[in-house]
């Protein structure tokens, strides 16, 4: 992957000139949707996503993208969310059928081993769908394929073993594999992915961060991608810390994670409260999941749960949410760098604090998407329409958000929160 591709969030990000009207205008009663309206809207949009990405003959002529991030497995994920919200067996069958198709493609390519951009996500979601269908044989088949991925020698390789060859980030690296394991464990039980396959990878991620921090005394864990110290959820520190916070760590490892997060909070932009795209970058322009306060708010909510004795993380999470409220209503619609992803910041804060102001803000962003999402996609804002119906860059993301608005206390950012 070229460096230009890696920096999609920065190159394509929304600056002040690309933002829409103030978030505060959305609190007008005539713009806010009632809760029950989100369900019908979500089902209708999910159907459009399925029709366009799965059933369309025109689309079948294209090479299959099997990933959750921009490909068919994102449609499968939206179908699983629809099943969880509606109980529709057709959605579950669709999810399983898409997983079967994507698995055939994924087995031919192991470029990445992650949940969002690799074969681990295909197999993890396929196993969960099969389990929901009570198809034990297919579930075990997908689990077997997942275990093959877990046994890739590069995953647990430490720095002393040449372990810098595999990245560490959420989209393309070891943290993305670990998130897939967490997803399987959540749905199939803690013992479904054995510790002996997972914990060595956790140790390798920690060892890689310590080795990267050898010349960065202020930050215990440092990771580089193409020589750049990214901070965001997609490629950098925020995503890696989010994953590590879900595992039982030794005290010194847990302290390393805590102090890394403290370092990020200390070095946010002092005047805005936003977070830089990468170490030393003075540009205070991006507020989204991939880069900036949108993703950091979610990570800091998790940190507040893991470290309840430390009120600083809760305060920092709320401050990041305020940045999203002021600047996070953007013209893109997706989870990665759009309004749907930023809405999940408020849902995370609502679960953490119980304060209804955050639920109302999530509802405001979700309502904005109800009124504008398809129009924005139609106007070519989504990369020329290439991924207009995908999970992270298009309309499948808002569909998942609307399903989550039905039961916000159970909402989880797809591919990022467990």
């Amino acid at each position: 992957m070229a460096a230009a591709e890696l920096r999609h969030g920065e190159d394509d990000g929304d600056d002040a000139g690309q933002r829409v009207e103030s978030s505060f205008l959305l609190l007008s009663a005539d713009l806010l949707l009632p809760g029950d309206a989100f369900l019908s809207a979500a089902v209708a949009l999910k159907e459009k996503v399925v029709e366009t990405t799965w059933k369309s003959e025109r689309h079948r002529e294209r090479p299959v993208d099997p990933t959750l991030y921009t490909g068919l497995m994102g449609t499968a994920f939206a179908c699983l969310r629809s099943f969880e919200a509606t109980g529709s067996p057709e959605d579950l069958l669709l999810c399983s059928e898409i997983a079967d198709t994507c698995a055939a493609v994924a087995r031919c390519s192991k470029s990445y081993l992650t949940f969002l951009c690799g074969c681990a996500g295909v197999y993890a979601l396929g196993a969960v769908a099969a389990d929901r269908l009570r198809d034990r044989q297919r579930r075990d088949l997908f689990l077997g394929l997942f275990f093959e991925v877990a046994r890739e020698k590069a995953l647990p390789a430490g720095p002393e073993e040449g372990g810098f060859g595999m990245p560490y980030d959420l989209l393309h690296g070891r943290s993305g594999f670990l998130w897939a394991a967490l997803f399987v464990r959540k749905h199939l039980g803690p013992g479904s992915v054995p510790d002996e396959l997972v914990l060595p990878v956790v140790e390798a991620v920690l060892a890689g961060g310590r080795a990267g921090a050898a010349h960065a005394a202020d930050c215990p864990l440092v990771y580089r991608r193409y020589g750049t110290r990214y901070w965001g959820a997609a490629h950098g520190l925020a995503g890696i810390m989010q994953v590590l916070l879900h595992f039982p760590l030794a005290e010194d490892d847990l302290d390393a994670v805590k102090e890394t997060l403290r370092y990020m909070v200390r070095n946010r932009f002092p005047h805005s409260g936003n977070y830089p795209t990468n170490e030393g970058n003075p540009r205070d322009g991006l507020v989204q999941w991939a880069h900036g306060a949108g993703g950091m708010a979610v990570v800091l909510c998790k940190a507040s749960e893991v470290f309840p004795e430390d009120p600083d993380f809760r305060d920092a999470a709320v401050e990041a949410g305020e940045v999203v409220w002021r600047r996070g209503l953007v013209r893109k619609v997706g989870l990665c760098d759009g309004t749907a992803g930023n809405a999940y910041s408020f849902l995370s804060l609502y679960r953490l604090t119980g304060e209804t102001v955050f639920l109302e803000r999530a509802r405001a962003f979700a309502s904005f998407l109800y009124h504008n999402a398809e129009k924005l996609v139609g106007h070519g804002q989504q990369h020329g329409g290439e991924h207009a119906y995908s999970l992270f860059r298009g309309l499948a993301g808002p569909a998942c958000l609307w399903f989550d608005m039905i039961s916000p206390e159970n909402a989880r950012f797809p591919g990022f929160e467990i």
Side-chain angles (χ1 to χ4, degrees), residues 30 43 52 56 78 102-103 107 129 196 217 235 260 304 337 349 354 390 399 411:
D30 60 338
V43 170
T52 305
S56 166
C102 290
R107 293 200 72 174
E196 56 264 29
H235 304 304
T260 298
S304 184
D337 49 12
L349 284 161
S390 69

Side-chain angles (χ1 to χ4, degrees), residues 230-291:
Y230 286 98
W231 275 36
H235 304 304
L237 271 177
I240 298 168
M241 295 304 104
Q242 170 77 351
V243 171
L244 290 176
L245 286 168
H246 286 79
F247 288 95
L249 303 178
E251 185 175 353
D252 59 336
D253 295 330
L254 198 60
D255 284 343
V257 172
K258 178 191 285 189
E259 292 307 313
T260 298
L261 289 168
R262 284 186 180 280
Y263 173 84
M264 298 177 78
V265 173
R266 285 198 307 271
N267 289 278
R268 67 197 185 283
F269 293 115
H271 299 297
S272 70
N274 193 26
Y275 289 76
T277 300
N278 54 277
E279 188 78 26
N281 190 336
R283 180 189 174 198
D284 182 3
L286 300 182
V287 178
Q288 52 189 237
W289 171 77
H291 302 290

Side-chain angles (χ1 to χ4, degrees), residues 140-165:
D140 291 345
L141 172 64
F142 276 111
L143 280 177
L145 293 169
F146 185 85
F147 293 154
E148 286 182 19
V149 174
R151 294 187 181 98
E152 287 285 332
K153 293 181 179 179
L155 279 168
E160 71 283 354
E161 305 164 288
F164 287 116

